[in-house]
Amino acid sequence: MSRPRHPGTAALHEELPPAMRDAADAFATHLSGERNRSGHTVRAYVTDVVSLLDHAVRMGATTPADLDLTVLRSWLARLRTAGAARTTLARRGAAARTFCTWAHRERLLATDVGQRLASPRARRDLPSVLRAEQAAALVTSPEIGGPVAVRDRVVLELLYATGIRVAELCGLDLPDVDRARRVVRVFGKGAKERSVPYGAPADAALEAWLRHGRPALAGPRSGAALLLGVRGGRIQATAVRRIVAAAAARAGLAHTSPHGLRHSAATHLLEGGADLRAVQELLGHASLSGTQIYTHVSVERLRAAYEQAHPRA
C-alpha cells in the first residue's frame, strides 16, 4: 500500500471518510501491484486522487459513489483559479480519469464519469538538444584517470549511446550487458524489457570500467550492479545528474541533464536516417506520439540553419 508522503496531503488522507480513504489505498495498491507503476508514479496519482476526494467531501460527498462530473469539473476549476499550470491540470485530470475508470470497474462508481472530463492539454515544449560535436565534447570531457573518472566516462558514453533514462541506467546489472553483441538489456517503465544497442566508444569505456574502475570501487554493497557510487553501492540518479552537469561545465556548455542527452541521442538518430518506429523501440516509448516530438526538433533545427544561411530566408 502506498500512501502520499507530502505532509499536507497525508493529513488530507487521514481526514477523509473511511470509504474514501479505503478507496485511495486500494487504488494505490492497484497501481503498484496490478499495473506495476513506479513508486514515484503511484505517489503522484494518489496525491492527486486524495486532493480530488477531499474536494468532493467539501462538496458533501461521503463515498466514491458520490463523485460526478460536477465535482470533477469543480475540482479542476478550483485548481485553475489557484494558479495551477496547464501541465499540472492535465496531469491531475489524467489521474482523475484513471481513478474513475478503476472505481467503475470495482463497482464503486455506477458510471465512469471521468471519461467525460476534459482537461487542458499540456503544451509540449521542444526539448533542448545538443549538436553532435557538443555531445561528443561532453561525453569525452572526463579525463581517464582514477576509478571515479573511468566511471563518469562510461556513464556519459552509455547515456548518449543508448538514450536510456537515468533510472534505467542506474538499474543496469552486470548480466544486462552483452558485449559480444554490444547491447544492454533495459527494464523500462512498467518493467517492460527491451534491448538497446551501443557503439564502439561506449564499449571501450565499458572495457575500462570493468577492468580498472569497478574493481577499485566494488565492495560488500555492490552486488550485481553495473555502475557503482564512491562507497561501493549502486549508483544513484542524483550522482548521475551531477556527473552530467559537471561534464557540461567542463565542455563549456549550458546545464545539461541526463534527459537532455536522451533527447540529443534520439534527435541525432533521426537526423542520421533512423526509422521513427525503430527510435520509438529504442527509447521505450509506449506510443509513437512520444517519439514524434523529435521529428519536430529536427525540423526546427533545419529551419534555424536555413534562416541563418539562406540569403532569401
Side-chain angles (χ1 to χ4, degrees), residues 200-216:
D203 191 59
L206 268 169
E207 171 76 13
W209 167 244
L210 293 174
R211 279 183 176 271
H212 309 295
R214 192 180 187 281

Side-chain angles (χ1 to χ4, degrees), residues 178-191:
D178 184 344
R179 294 194 57 209
R181 295 191 301 145
R182 285 189 192 164
V183 297
V184 289
R185 180 178 60 181
V186 178
F187 293 91
K189 291 184 177 180

Side-chain angles (χ1 to χ4, degrees), residues 57-74:
V57 169
R58 294 172 188 272
M59 294 183 67
T62 57
T63 72
D66 297 324
L67 286 177
D68 57 24
L69 192 57
T70 299
V71 171
L72 298 180
R73 286 173 173 168
S74 171

